[in-house]
Amino acid sequence: MSSLSDSTLRKKIGQLFAVGFHGLTPSSEIKTLIREYGLGAIVLFKRNIQDAAQLQVLFLSTFYLTPIEEAKNAGHEHPLFIGIDQENGLVTRITPPIAAQQPGQMALGATQSIENAYEVGKSTGEMLSFFGVNMNYAPDCDINSEPLNPVIGVRSPGDDPSLVGRISLATASGLRDSGVVPTVKHFPGHGDTAVDSHHGLPVIAKSRSELERCELIPFRRAVAHGIEAVMTAHIALPKINSSLELKGLPATLSADALGILRNDMKYDGVIITDCLEMDGIRATYGTVEGSLMSLKAGSDSVMICHTYDVQVKSIERVMQAVKFGDLSQSRIDEAFRRVKALKQKFLTWEHALRTTTADLSLTNLATMNERHENCAKKVYSKSTTVVRNDLNTLPISPGTSKVLLLTPGGRVPVGGAVDESGSKHRTYLDVLKENTGDKTSSSVTEILYPDTGFLSDEHWQVIKEEADIVILATRNAKEAKEQRKLALQLVKTRHDLIVIAACNPYDFLDDVDLFKTYIAIYEPTVEAFASAVDIIYGKATSKGKLPVASKSDLKPNDNYEIKAYNPSEKDAMIEGITKVWKAALPDYKLQKEDLAKVIDQSHGQHFIAQEKRENGGTIVGFILAYKAVKRGKQSAHIAALAVDPAKQGKGIGSKLLADAREYLYEQHGIKNVPLRSYFPRFWPGLPADLPRATRQFFVNRGYRLTDSNGGSIARLDVKLSADLYQDIRNFKSPQRYLERAAAAKVTYKAITPETFADCLSGQKRNFTHYTGWVETYIALNPEDHPFGIMAAFDENHGSQIGWTLMLSPEDDYVARNWAFPPLAGGGKHLLKTGVIGCVGVDEAHRGRGVGLAMLCHAIEDMRRRGVEAVFIDSTNKVDWYAKVGFSKWKEYFVAEI
Ligand SMILES: CC(C)(COP(=O)(O)OP(=O)(O)OC[C@H]1O[C@@H](n2cnc3c(N)ncnc32)[C@H](O)[C@@H]1OP(=O)(O)O)[C@@H](O)C(=O)NCCC(=O)NCCS
């Protein structure tokens, strides 16, 4: 039950709602929602936008209703989010001439350039910010793996998960850098469906592993890079929802689906729902009930775009649920905290309450638009793709005088997200005419063909006999069968037909033998069409690269296979792994014999990447993973991943990582596989001295480089643990440490068979939560490993109160469990390096100098035995060890996934 007053609770809940309204000025309803319900966000649509001046007034008046005092009185600590779907390309809410048309995601995918994507994101953010829009429900992170997807299509950068991640995240960075909140959508991925969630509930029957292989890849990348907002999809994922009765639940309402973000990816940003008035929710669970369900499932912001009554009822429904304990107050608090934190980061009253000052002038807008137009033009020219020019029809000869353009004049299949209202400022025909240099030119004519595809005899007459060149623009002809029929008729008559796929590139992608001159522009905008016209007239060449595969491309995309490490092929495998290791990790050059000892162990779960050859090809990469038991549960970690430098950048590293993670999940149910190692010890995390690109590789695949509290995300500059080293040939114990321990009646002796049992019970009492710790002590039985353990004894009570390993390099246990001691001295003067590790003092005796004195005794003992240097692995107590002479050898990031 809630302890807040009704009004306070209502306004807190109101902050969790994002609503749309109708009209060109703020409706009285929206004002009520702001004042009475503490509304958090407004969603703008094309229906709210007429021209630049009106848009400015709308934005300003939205805020005039809530000037600082009134808003504060109404409980608003921060300004409203003003959000919009400015995806660009197909889904563009603020269109020319108000703002420059910018290329959509698939056009960006075709440029394959993150620089272009960033620039477009930045321009878009600048424009939105000019109008006071501070949140964009873009970019789209969906992977368009289903060519017949009616809702995503060109809104996605393509069908390759890593390209989608790269392009989307670069667009998001551009938006962020211009002060606009980016939102990646539609989680967990809307690309593999042939149903539009505006008009029904799509079902994606993929398993978790299948999602990890595809849909989740860009989302993992976004989260690891610290994305601020994620929008959910109204799609059912029967294989993800945990129980039978929940199977049909859309991801938006599913705690299991949102749990992937929260629990597995550790995402702590805002989860916002797609509009709950879409049929995927409205017609299934209902918008009002859906609002409550989505908050229960873990979302933080609920979007309802159309109906005031429904918006109010939804807020009231959530309120009632909190009052009657059906939804916890803490869930509301958590969502409120996230919304508030995002507002704090992006919004200021000062910016929100700007009045018509100089920087808001329409002259400034015109200058900005011109700059953005130039940027867009450059990007369009890089995206437009001549898929085929088999008859060398392109460019058309300069003497071509009669050009006939056929464009769709009837209804075309578009997804529910597309809003085509409003007048077109310029048409395809205008563009063609401009190209002839004469806007009134009669040499270019246009036929607007109906959705039946039917053309009159006169039209056919022009096509057959009069036109020098015929250009057919299609729009989603794969779905619009009549368009396809018309195209087939046309190409029979005119082999030189130029086809422009003016939206999805799939229209004639696989009709290699039929449509020989085929251009893809990835969106129906006039601006994209103009860049195709430039190519047709030879003013530009094609630079775009198809970001989706045709059927003929769908063969296995590489010449390598991933195989599990097989002990019966140990010699060849270790030989291959060593070669790759030495080439890929030149600063950590391990010898084959040393690698063999750490690799060939029963808890290893390694994979190699090998060239596909009949008699076994060369090994070009490997991943070393190990299973362990942590707090009684199976866990696993990745100790090393490397690819032959000559083969890097071909997807081999990604595939090794994905295969290993999939195997560990499928076989052992292990979801989170951090980058680290226990026993055997390689690196305790991601080495900080590796190139930044290597760190980026892991973050791009969803690894969080966090601080020790797991707090910050993608902080590439925080080093969290270290390996230490000391040449002990001239070691002298600092007397004060020895004296202090002696005064406290603490003595130090190596563990013997008689004292071993007490030693083990000390480890079990204190250190069971450290993976592999107790097992290591158990393995170091003093009968087999004399002088392996130094212990501190409390002479007052005769009990053991501290322990450390103090192993000589001759002990085979060292070689099997620590990879790097032989390297730590650095190159030329390789010393006989032993290991100090698992240093622990009984909890009741900490802070009394027991540990430092123990280190001194252990080092002296080792020196007596001929050990020349000591290696200490994986510690964050660098300063403490420095007191007895240790310094850092290497530093590491914590890398979790
Ligand atoms: C880190 C490492 C394993 C990555 O292996 P890799 O095979 O080069 O990795 P991939 O090819 O899968 O991915 C690298 C990039 O190339 C891209 N790429 C993959 N296939 C591609 C292709 N066919 N065309 C273009 N780009 C491609 C990937 O998308 C990725 O870019 P992104 O991160 O922006 O998405 C490799 O650099 C390496 O061996 N480094 C040395 C060893 C090391 O330091 N290991 C870490 C400590 S354990």
Side-chain angles (χ1 to χ4, degrees):
M1 284 246 215
S2 167
S3 53
L4 300 178
S5 75
D6 276 10
S7 156
T8 311
L9 178 62
R10 185 177 287 114
K11 284 177 180 166
K12 205 165 191 183
I13 293 170
Q15 277 296 302
L16 313 183
F17 277 75
V19 310
F21 65 97
H22 290 262
L24 298 173
T25 53
S27 59
S28 62
E29 285 96 350
I30 201 85
K31 292 178 190 174
T32 307
L33 282 167
I34 293 171
R35 265 197 299 265
E36 309 295 324
Y37 290 83
L39 183 72
I42 289 178
V43 189
L44 293 183
F45 286 87
K46 226 174 196 172
R47 63 181 188 242
N48 306 121
I49 298 163
Q50 186 179 46
D51 55 41
Q54 173 271 335
L55 188 52
Q56 272 194 345
V57 171
L58 171 72
F59 147 61
L60 291 169
S61 59
T62 306
F63 285 104
Y64 279 139
L65 342 151
T66 57
I68 293 182
E69 284 310 314
E70 188 180 344
K72 283 205 168 140
N73 290 344
H76 289 239
E77 261 182 87
H78 300 283
L80 293 158
F81 278 130
I82 309 282
I84 200 163
D85 284 289
Q86 190 76 4
E87 295 177 21
N88 296 324
L90 183 64
V91 178
T92 302
R93 303 287 191 234
I94 305 178
T95 49
I98 306 176
Q101 177 66 54
Q102 296 289 330
Q105 289 285 285
M106 198 173 276
L108 292 174
T111 70
Q112 310 256 323
S113 153
I114 51 173
E115 288 78 19
N116 288 157
Y118 175 83
E119 249 185 293
V120 166
K122 188 101 190 284
S123 309
T124 308
E126 257 187 303
M127 180 277 291
L128 293 176
S129 194
F130 177 90
F131 286 113
V133 179
N134 48 36
M135 185 158 188
N136 196 4
Y137 306 124
D140 204 298
C141 245
D142 299 307
I143 296 155
N144 204 55
S145 46
E146 165 54 65
L148 281 178
N149 190 319
V151 65
I152 301 299
V154 293
R155 297 168 65 196
S156 151
D159 64 5
D160 169 40
S162 115
L163 175 75
V164 170
R166 279 205 296 275
I167 296 294
S168 299
L169 266 284
T171 314
S173 297
L175 286 164
R176 178 185 301 117
D177 287 355
S178 49
V180 170
V181 181
T183 312
V184 294
K185 64 187 184 184
H186 306 79
F187 184 83
H190 207 318
D192 196 6
T193 165
V195 175
D196 186 344
S197 54
H198 290 84
H199 310 306
L201 181 62
V203 177
I204 296 184
K206 284 195 169 182
S207 67
R208 174 64 188 269
S209 286
E210 287 169 313
L211 291 176
E212 289 283 359
R213 280 281 182 184
C214 183
E215 281 79 354
L216 295 180
I217 288 174
F219 287 104
R220 277 201 179 275
R221 186 178 185 128
V223 170
H225 278 276
I227 193 73
E228 289 80 357
V230 178
M231 181 180 277
T232 62
H234 305 330
I235 46 171
L237 296 146
K239 294 196 179 162
I240 295 302
N241 288 328
S242 51
S243 68
L244 205 59
E245 69 268 25
L246 299 178
K247 284 220 171 311
L249 212 54
T252 300
L253 311 183
S254 159
D256 292 313
L258 302 191
I260 296 176
L261 263 178
R262 288 282 187 238
N263 307 330
D264 299 341
M265 299 189 192
K266 305 278 185 286
Y267 173 64
D268 194 34
V270 168
I271 297 181
I272 180 162
T273 72
D274 208 342
C275 173
L276 297 190
E277 285 188 287
M278 287 159 64
D279 271 0
I281 302 292
R282 193 189 57 78
T284 54
Y285 294 83
T287 305
V288 173
E289 214 48 37
S291 304
L292 175 59
M293 290 169 79
S294 71
L295 285 169
K296 272 189 186 172
S299 72
D300 307 301
S301 180
V302 176
M303 183 182 285
I304 305 177
C305 294
H306 300 279
T307 321
Y308 173 69
D309 277 357
V310 177
Q311 292 159 353
V312 168
K313 276 189 191 142
S314 299
I315 296 177
E316 294 292 356
R317 175 73 186 97
V318 174
M319 206 171 139
Q320 182 201 33
V322 175
K323 284 175 76 176
F324 290 98
D326 189 22
L327 176 65
S328 71
Q329 174 77 51
S330 62
R331 181 69 265 280
I332 296 293
D333 291 345
E334 180 192 52
F336 183 78
R337 166 183 66 78
R338 293 200 182 103
V339 169
K340 184 174 156 170
L342 191 55
K343 287 192 168 184
Q344 248 159 356
K345 191 170 160 196
F346 279 85
L347 312 187
T348 63
W349 284 110
E350 197 192 353
H351 183 79
L353 288 166
R354 285 177 307 164
T355 47
T356 21
T357 54
D359 51 309
L360 276 178
S361 80
L362 294 183
T363 322
N364 278 352
L365 176 65
T367 317
M368 184 174 71
N369 282 348
E370 199 181 319
R371 190 157 40 81
H372 293 169
E373 254 165 43
N374 290 335
C375 158
K377 199 165 178 204
K378 186 186 74 187
V379 180
Y380 280 122
S381 78
K382 289 187 188 159
S383 68
T384 300
T385 312
V386 173
V387 181
R388 288 188 291 275
N389 184 22
D390 295 351
L391 305 176
N392 288 326
T393 310
L394 303 178
I396 59 175
S397 68
T400 311
S401 56
K402 288 212 160 118
V403 177
L404 174 66
L405 170 69
L406 292 118
T407 47
R411 277 185 304 111
V412 287
V414 288
V418 181
D419 182 351
E420 298 206 293
S421 58
S423 63
K424 286 237 176 305
H425 68 295
R426 220 164 134 225
T427 64
Y428 289 177
L429 184 62
D430 295 335
V431 172
L432 268 173
K433 285 192 166 177
E434 283 162 19
N435 234 278
T436 64
D438 173 8
K439 285 189 186 172
T440 58
S441 162
S442 58
S443 63
V444 183
T445 49
E446 184 183 36
I447 298 173
L448 293 172
Y449 61 86
D451 45 9
T452 58
F454 177 81
L455 296 183
S456 66
D457 289 347
E458 296 90 85
H459 286 152
W460 281 112
Q461 168 80 13
V462 180
I463 291 162
K464 279 182 195 154
E465 284 161 26
E466 292 168 26
D468 288 331
I469 203 85
V470 180
I471 302 172
L472 170 70
T474 56
R475 193 156 161 202
N476 302 352
K478 257 210 143 65
E479 294 158 85
K481 300 289 178 217
E482 303 305 326
Q483 279 188 37
R484 187 174 172 81
K485 236 158 95 186
L486 171 64
L488 288 168
Q489 279 176 306
L490 280 168
V491 81
K492 255 194 225 155
T493 318
R494 299 285 309 230
H495 292 293
D496 59 350
L497 177 73
I498 299 172
V499 181
I500 301 179
C503 199
N504 282 338
Y506 305 105
D507 290 2
F508 305 102
L509 197 54
D510 295 319
D511 300 297
V512 181
D513 297 329
L514 279 173
F515 297 94
K516 301 214 179 246
T517 315
Y518 185 47
I519 304 176
I521 62 172
Y522 310 106
E523 56 189 55
T525 61
V526 172
E527 291 72 9
F529 183 80
S531 79
V533 171
D534 283 346
I535 292 173
I536 291 172
Y537 279 90
K539 292 182 182 166
T541 52
S542 165
K543 299 184 195 73
K545 200 161 171 238
L546 209 56
V548 294
S550 70
K551 260 192 221 148
S552 53
D553 290 336
L554 289 176
K555 53 187 183 288
N557 66 350
D558 61 35
N559 306 316
Y560 307 98
E561 58 189 333
I562 310 291
K563 281 200 213 154
Y565 172 80
N566 181 355
S568 67
E569 294 173 42
K570 178 178 154 182
D571 289 346
M573 286 204 168
I574 297 217
E575 175 84 37
I577 291 173
T578 307
K579 273 198 185 136
V580 172
W581 184 292
K582 286 186 171 171
L585 291 157
D587 291 340
Y588 294 87
K589 251 181 203 140
L590 290 177
Q591 301 309 314
K592 190 167 105 184
E593 307 66 46
D594 295 332
L595 269 171
K597 286 186 178 158
V598 276
I599 290 174
D600 195 38
Q601 301 201 12
S602 59
H603 62 308
Q605 192 62 71
H606 319 311
F607 294 87
I608 55 147
Q610 190 169 26
E611 280 176 334
K612 278 184 192 156
R613 293 272 157 75
E614 279 209 356
N615 303 322
T618 311
I619 291 176
V620 295
F622 63 83
I623 189 162
L624 303 182
Y626 294 85
K627 288 171 285 178
V629 177
K630 196 176 176 189
R631 294 191 174 118
K633 262 183 72 184
Q634 273 276 15
S635 70
H637 46 273
I638 285 164
L641 166 66
V643 172
D644 179 349
K647 310 285 179 191
Q648 289 175 7
K650 296 178 190 300
I652 299 171
S654 305
K655 197 156 169 15
L656 278 162
L657 192 56
D659 276 22
R661 291 192 53 228
E662 178 172 332
Y663 181 90
L664 290 164
Y665 176 64
E666 290 289 341
Q667 299 300 314
H668 303 287
I670 300 167
K671 279 192 209 153
N672 304 321
V673 190
L675 199 63
R676 70 165 69 116
S677 55
Y678 296 102
F679 295 97
R681 264 294 184 212
F682 291 79
W683 300 280
L686 183 63
D689 64 343
L690 293 180
R692 194 180 163 86
T694 308
R695 273 180 259 161
Q696 211 62 51
F697 168 87
F698 285 102
V699 176
N700 290 346
R701 266 131 214 96
Y703 276 84
R704 300 178 303 279
L705 306 188
T706 61
D707 64 27
S708 42
N709 300 319
S712 72
I713 289 169
R715 289 195 29 208
L716 300 180
D717 55 346
V718 190
K719 292 160 197 142
L720 296 151
S721 64
D723 286 339
L724 311 179
Y725 179 78
Q726 182 178 184
D727 175 349
I728 60 164
R729 285 174 298 177
N730 300 314
F731 179 81
K732 284 202 177 41
S733 294
Q735 277 310 304
R736 63 187 184 284
Y737 297 144
L738 301 184
E739 285 162 11
R740 190 167 61 181
K745 289 207 167 15
V746 182
T747 57
Y748 296 89
K749 283 182 286 247
I751 289 289
T752 59
E754 293 71 41
T755 53
F756 188 48
D758 273 0
C759 166
L760 292 187
S761 63
Q763 307 317 314
K764 286 177 192 152
R765 197 168 61 238
N766 287 284
F767 306 112
T768 39
H769 51 289
Y770 290 108
T771 307
W773 180 300
V774 176
E775 292 76 6
T776 301
Y777 274 89
I778 293 172
L780 290 170
N781 184 327
E783 295 203 353
D784 303 326
H785 307 269
F787 303 103
I789 304 167
M790 171 63 78
F793 292 80
D794 178 355
E795 293 301 333
N796 299 311
H797 303 96
S799 56
Q800 293 180 30
I801 57 171
W803 309 266
T804 178
L805 310 183
M806 47 170 191
L807 300 164
S808 304
E810 296 80 29
D811 190 332
D812 195 51
Y813 191 81
V814 172
R816 286 182 54 74
N817 283 288
W818 283 271
F820 296 134
L823 301 185
K828 295 183 192 108
H829 320 286
L830 284 188
L831 301 180
K832 284 171 66 184
T833 305
V835 166
I836 281 186
C838 301
V839 182
V841 172
D842 188 273
E843 213 176 342
H845 296 270
R846 290 182 193 161
R848 294 172 45 204
V850 174
L852 280 175
M854 184 166 69
L855 287 177
C856 296
H857 285 282
I859 295 167
E860 287 190 8
D861 196 286
M862 291 168 91
R863 207 158 69 92
R864 268 197 299 279
R865 283 183 276 137
V867 178
E868 296 173 324
V870 172
F871 179 83
I872 294 183
D873 71 341
S874 183
T875 179
N876 54 12
K877 297 192 174 60
V878 178
D879 295 343
W880 187 72
Y881 284 105
K883 291 178 198 226
V884 287
F886 284 95
S887 50
K888 279 183 209 163
W889 175 56
K890 299 280 179 185
E891 292 178 282
Y892 307 93
F893 302 105
V894 171
E896 304 274 354
I897 192 166

